[in-house]
Amino acid sequence: EDERWARIEREKAIEEAKWQEIRDKGEKARRNHNSVPYNPLTLAYNQSEEGNRLRHADDLIRWRAAQRAKNLQDKALGSQYNP
């Protein structure tokens, strides 16, 4: 019975050493690193170069959409002559 408990204690110590090594390396925590340049919960851009690039690209898309809407409105009205 004592040998069985000693074996269980050794296995537990080995398991604890393994987890302590993983905690020290931080490999498991890296898996939770966000891969997009914005916060998916608040939808705020990150304060980094990637975040600034994404903000610029999004602003450019919004500007192009507004230009397209303006052009379509102008074309729909036809000529400016109103008899």
Side-chain angles (χ1 to χ4, degrees):
E1 185 69 22
D2 290 335
E3 290 177 21
R4 186 170 76 91
W5 280 107
R7 182 176 46 86
I8 291 172
E9 290 295 326
R10 281 193 308 271
E11 289 172 359
K12 180 156 177 65
I14 291 170
E15 181 78 14
E16 185 59 37
K18 178 184 104 174
W19 282 108
Q20 188 59 43
E21 183 179 340
I22 289 172
R23 285 185 204 108
D24 291 341
K25 287 183 180 178
E27 290 179 7
K28 295 282 185 177
R30 262 188 291 192
R31 291 183 182 172
N32 292 331
H33 179 68
N34 196 358
S35 62
V36 291
Y38 64 90
N39 185 335
L41 299 177
T42 64
L43 299 180
Y45 297 105
N46 288 350
Q47 298 298 321
S48 64
E49 185 63 32
E50 293 87 13
N52 290 336
R53 258 190 248 126
L54 180 63
R55 179 182 293 123
H56 178 71
D58 288 348
D59 289 343
L60 186 60
I61 289 169
R62 287 186 202 100
W63 178 79
R64 289 182 62 206
Q67 287 298 107
R68 177 168 162 62
K70 180 188 171 300
N71 289 340
L72 287 173
Q73 181 68 24
D74 291 345
K75 297 290 183 187
L77 290 177
S79 67
Q80 296 298 327
Y81 178 71
N82 188 1

